[in-house]
Amino acid sequence: MSQSLKLQFRRSLDWLSLNWKEIAWATLPGIIACLAILYPFFLSGGELIYLDSSGSLVSLGQVTHFFDSSGGDWTSYRWIPYILLQVPFLLVFGAASSAIFSKLVFLAIFTIGSVGLYLLYREYEIKSKAAYLLSVAIMSFSPFVYERMMMGQYFVVSSLLCLPLFLYLAKRFADVPSFGRAWPLSLSLCFLTLQLQGFVIGTGLVALFFLSNFLSQERALRKGEGKAYLQLAGVFFLFNLIWLFPYLTLPQNPIFSSIDDSDLAFFSSQHSAGFNTAVKSAMMAGAWRENAVLRAYKTLPTLFTYGFVALLFCLSIYALLKQPKNPLFLTLAVGWVIGLVFATGMSHPWTSGVFEFFYNNLPLFSGFRDSNKFVELIAAAYAILVPIGLYLAFGEKTFSEKKTSSSYLLASGVFVAVFAATIAYNYPALGLWAQLHPISYPSEYLQVQNMIPAGERAVVVPSGIYFSYNWSLAAGLDGRVANPSGKFPWLVVYTPSPQDFGGALKGGVYDCINSNNASCLVENGVRYSLVDYCSNSAFDRSWATNSSTLVNEAGCLKLFRFESNG
């Protein structure tokens, strides 16, 4: 029995059997795309700390206190694999591991994208390397990736770049349903999508692929296939118990209950430069904070923007019309429509009713208040269908002819032109156009865990998720970054301010913080305030320092102990 399991395990990894040339082709395009977009980061010893990114871990304390910090937050359990991966780096490099590890993470994210596309093209026997390279370019240099990088939402980028790998593994399972092909798909869906919305989109796209596969083949399950699909469901469930069990047993994350209609308005897709939000979604753009960054379509001729997007759309439709029963093409086409409707969301009268229905009736759908995240389905459709559309338009024989033939040269010239247009369409993605700069945390922020007495908690003042600091202004733009105290949640508590995105967490210590009530905090077991004087915020700090005793300080951070009488 053990020999049989070993053999089955080896066979389940046969998709990894690549020679060194294939490995180079699969990985180098992703690495090159990553370096082209983030080369300032790789030339620096700092990190990209901006808005939704507070960098990687900076101490082993964050690992050892993980369960203290996650006792009431089931969403954190999805991060366990990511946290454990950093432990060896923390042991060897200490605080310096944060910048080192994050560089490797960026390389891994983009490499997974190119590897997934390479394997998918190989599986479907698309033999044109030009088509594959164009796929990498469309996906990596999409406005969606650029916007999310500029917002510090790196794992939203990862969600998109993992989709080709998910589809490849789903195709292999659908072709030969078996346990050996079930667990790689389940494992990748669970552990490569740390961000919950990405997990939902990735899982949903795979389910849509399976449905398209059955509908296109018009057949019933063959003998043994039903069992294999049940095994897939079982393995998928087991892998996801890492966060499903905490979800079912722990209190709900208060961030979901705090979301209201003001959040929907704040996070709605944006229109600009004469493009409405539905068109912006089709352009792979429109994120709520896009007006803060440089945009190519605001500087390039409008005719070029419309023409390029029309080309993407037409080539995608052409690929679908050439092979209307191809499950992959059907999946991507339906995904494009779903992406357009939900990404546009509340910002357009044609789509607001659909989005509002799901928002009001589907549990946890409120987590998609930033509806533009669905644009990843549009970007994935373009990245795969457009190059294949070109490939099919010229015909497979064209790419098997001599490289000196006129048809081959013409096809190559067209691919090069579309590749160049892809980069031009979103040229600010190159080096992030020097809009962000790598920085490092001031040393006092790395000492927070040593400032607060063991077993105690402190409220961070000023309280909020996003602030500009005198040291973060060097990061670029307005210097608005994620509150560093979020790196030490087992020691500190804070609540989003209404200025963050229209709402605040409520109940328990959150009510105390929102009302600046020190006595209330003491009654709820919070006896200290960590006051940050590096923050440029004009928030009132006096309530946390009056009638309090200064007990510790480091740089611009001062720790006060509340008196019991407040």
Side-chain angles (χ1 to χ4, degrees), residues 198-222:
F199 169 78
V200 172
I201 290 175
T203 302
L205 197 65
V206 167
L208 183 60
F209 176 83
F210 288 145
L211 178 61
S212 300
N213 188 65
F214 280 116
L215 293 178
S216 62
Q217 294 184 10
E218 299 178 349
R219 66 172 178 82
L221 286 172
R222 296 192 182 101

Side-chain angles (χ1 to χ4, degrees), residues 117 120-128 130-135 138 312 314-320 322-323 326 328-329 332 380-396 399 415:
L117 285 168
L120 193 64
Y121 272 54
R122 189 181 69 168
E123 188 73 13
Y124 280 93
E125 299 183 347
I126 306 296
K127 299 176 182 178
S128 169
Y132 157 64
L133 292 176
L134 180 57
S135 277
I138 292 174
L312 297 180
C314 290
L315 286 172
S316 300
I317 293 296
Y318 181 80
L320 181 63
K322 288 288 287 184
Q323 297 183 13
N326 187 309
L328 176 65
F329 297 179
L332 293 169
Y382 287 149
I384 298 171
L385 291 177
V386 168
I388 292 179
L390 272 178
Y391 177 82
L392 295 175
F394 283 104
E396 184 177 346
F399 299 95
F415 271 105

Side-chain angles (χ1 to χ4, degrees), residues 107-145:
L107 286 171
I109 288 173
F110 282 87
T111 301
I112 288 172
S114 66
V115 168
L117 285 168
Y118 184 86
L119 292 172
L120 193 64
Y121 272 54
R122 189 181 69 168
E123 188 73 13
Y124 280 93
E125 299 183 347
I126 306 296
K127 299 176 182 178
S128 169
K129 292 295 194 296
Y132 157 64
L133 292 176
L134 180 57
S135 277
V136 175
I138 292 174
M139 182 170 284
S140 301
F141 288 90
S142 66
F144 178 80
V145 168

